[in-house]
């Protein structure tokens, strides 16, 4: 199904770009309407869109029938409450956890955040409406699937490192795989140690196949995952001589000062490029511009997604006009990528994203 098939639904939902006062991007109020959870990579731009921002030069805020959306960060308190009188449940940290929370919200099966989050499993029926995902459905893709992956924006993945030498700025995919295998422990005479974000991170799961691991690989021999709760896209986690995959869009957004925090200024931290002759971005902070050439890479460029229940955005008994409008691609939807300063697309560009490579949606998860 193409996004254009549900474009006309925005009017029915009454979504508007509201000229209201600025709301801090890091607030996590209980939602008056729909709730988003999941990917760290997408959270800052969706925070801006749901709470309101003038980053593009024109105030933009996405509402649904005049009510606010609830966008919950991937990291923070162990438990969150997303809707009035709803249960407190483990915060979904990353793309995989976000999709799992959406699945549990649909099925009524108990949800557990997993990993190092010890919040007890809870029934969260109806508590999550949209999952942010920095990766596609992969092997879960199915033409009759119950979930729908709607393209949000184009990102790319590189690697952040601390210290090292000039040679570390241009490590090849072959070298990176050896580093994450644990067989290459020094580069240009300097010791190097690989790290990965927490399990369930879309950036982690995308990066490993990009550097040469088999599709679906989520672990690397050179990285110990015991007790791993390392947040993605946070350069402060790096010790001297360490390297970790990093979203280019997140790096650009942080460096340009449109996010709540900026970890790119940590002493000795830089972003490297595994693509010969191409840098992930151009310019200098706070005016970095993502490289269209780098983002177009079939290995390191990636489309990102908002995931919803398919039955709620197509005609039928469960159809929800408000939710369908939020992923319709119109100028008043979260998935828009227009160029006008008053559109969500212009906001996403300020956060380091480019237009997705396609507007074609994908269904996934035949069984939830």
């Amino acid at each position: 199904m193409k996004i254009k098939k549900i474009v006309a639904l925005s009017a029915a939902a009454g979504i508007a770009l509201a000229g209201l006062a600025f709301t801090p991007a890091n607030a996590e109020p209980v939602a008056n309407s729909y709730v988003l959870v999941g990917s760290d990579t997408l959270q800052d731009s969706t925070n801006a869109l749901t709470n309101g921002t003038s980053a593009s030069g024109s105030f933009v805020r996405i509402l649904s029938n005049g009510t606010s959306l609830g966008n919950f960060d991937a990291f923070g308190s162990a438990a969150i409450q997303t809707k009035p009188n709803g249960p407190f449940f483990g915060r979904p940290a990353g793309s995989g956890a976000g999709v799992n929370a959406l699945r549990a919200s649909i099925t009524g099966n108990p949800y557990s955040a997993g990993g190092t989050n010890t919040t007890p499993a809870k029934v969260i029926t109806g508590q999550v409406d949209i999952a942010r995902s920095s990766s596609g459905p992969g092997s879960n893709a199915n033409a009759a699937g119950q979930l729908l992956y709607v393209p949000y924006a184009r990102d790319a993945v590189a690697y952040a490192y601390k210290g090292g030498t000039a040679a570390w700025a241009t490590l090849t995919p072959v070298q990176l795989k050896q580093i994450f295998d644990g067989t290459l422990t020094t580069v240009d005479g300097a010791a190097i140690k690989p790290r990965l974000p927490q399990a369930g991170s879309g950036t982690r799961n995308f990066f490993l196949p990009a550097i040469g691991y088999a599709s679906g690989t989520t672990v690397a021999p050179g990285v110990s995952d015991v007790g791993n709760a390392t947040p993605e896209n946070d350069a402060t986690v790096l010790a001297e001589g360490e390297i970790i995959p990093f979203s280019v869009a997140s790096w650009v957004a942080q460096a340009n000062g449109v996010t709540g925090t900026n970890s790119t200024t940590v002493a000795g931290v830089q972003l490297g490029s595994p693509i010969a002759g191409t840098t992930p971005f151009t310019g200098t902070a706070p005016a970095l511009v993502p490289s269209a050439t780098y983002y177009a890479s079939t290995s390191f460029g990636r489309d990102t997604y908002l995931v919803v229940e398919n039955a709620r955005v197509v005609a039928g008994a469960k159809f929800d006009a408000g939710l369908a409008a939020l992923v319709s691609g119109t100028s008043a939807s979260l998935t828009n990528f227009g160029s006008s300063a008053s559109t969500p697309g212009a906001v996403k560009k300020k956060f380091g994203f480019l237009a997705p490579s396609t507007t074609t949606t994908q269904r996934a998860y035949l069984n939830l």
Side-chain angles (χ1 to χ4, degrees):
M1 182 180 71
K2 300 280 188 179
I3 288 181
K4 65 183 181 182
K5 291 186 179 180
I6 53 177
V7 162
L9 300 175
S10 61
I15 294 181
L17 297 174
L20 305 175
F22 178 76
T23 302
N26 61 352
E28 286 191 329
V30 171
N32 292 325
S33 58
Y34 302 103
V35 167
L36 299 83
V37 299
S39 169
D40 172 273
T41 300
L42 306 188
Q43 75 181 27
D44 291 327
S45 59
T46 49
N47 271 334
L49 290 172
T50 57
N51 291 332
T53 179
S54 298
S56 64
S58 179
F59 188 85
V60 178
R61 188 182 187 191
I62 302 296
L63 302 173
S64 180
N65 288 327
T67 59
S68 60
L69 308 176
N71 189 57
F72 290 79
D73 287 355
F75 298 96
S77 59
I80 57 174
Q81 181 190 27
T82 59
K83 295 190 178 184
N85 204 36
F88 281 85
F89 60 95
R91 180 185 296 271
S95 301
V99 171
N100 285 340
L102 174 61
R103 295 166 65 193
S105 180
I106 297 168
T107 65
N109 293 329
Y111 170 75
S112 174
T116 60
N117 191 325
T118 58
T119 304
K122 295 287 182 66
V123 173
I124 60 168
T125 307
Q127 301 303 299
V128 173
D129 304 288
I130 301 174
R132 305 182 304 261
S133 181
S134 59
S135 57
S139 61
N140 293 305
N142 188 294
Q146 297 188 58
L147 300 186
L148 186 70
Y149 281 65
V150 185
Y152 175 78
R154 184 76 172 176
D155 183 23
V157 175
Y159 59 90
Y161 63 96
K162 185 173 184 178
T165 71
W168 288 30
T170 55
L171 298 172
T172 68
V174 171
Q175 288 177 305
L176 288 169
K177 186 174 186 301
Q178 292 172 338
I179 291 167
F180 280 82
D181 276 341
T183 59
L184 180 62
T185 57
T186 61
V187 175
D188 199 26
I192 190 167
K193 178 183 177 182
R195 296 190 63 181
L196 286 169
Q198 82 288 351
S201 159
T203 296
R204 166 190 176 129
N205 297 346
F206 176 87
F207 178 78
L208 292 176
I211 62 173
Y213 286 94
S215 176
T217 301
T218 60
V219 296
V223 180
S224 171
D225 265 345
V226 177
N228 182 11
T230 304
E232 58 190 305
N233 304 321
D234 182 356
T236 65
V237 305
L238 293 175
E240 190 74 15
E242 292 186 334
I243 181 174
I244 195 168
F246 211 101
S247 158
V248 179
S250 183
W251 184 279
V252 169
Q254 290 182 48
N256 285 350
V258 293
T259 59
T261 59
N262 181 8
S263 68
T264 70
T265 58
V266 172
V269 170
Q270 299 182 69
L271 194 71
S273 172
I275 304 176
T278 302
T279 57
F281 55 78
T282 58
T284 56
L288 300 186
V289 177
S291 165
T293 301
Y294 190 97
Y295 278 48
S297 166
T298 56
S299 295
F300 293 96
R302 61 175 177 176
D303 287 333
T304 63
Y305 302 85
L306 296 184
V307 188
V308 295
E309 183 181 5
N310 183 70
R312 293 179 69 188
V313 297
V314 298
K318 296 185 73 173
F319 178 70
D320 183 328
L323 180 62
L326 287 174
V327 294
S328 67
T330 67
S331 61
S333 73
L334 293 167
T335 54
N336 170 267
F337 219 98
S339 57
S340 168
S342 63
T343 64
V347 172
K348 285 185 265 188
K349 289 177 183 176
K350 293 296 183 180
F351 280 79
F353 293 102
L354 296 178
S357 65
T358 179
T359 57
T360 301
T361 59
Q362 298 181 65
R363 292 177 67 173
Y365 290 94
L366 180 62
N367 299 304
L368 294 178

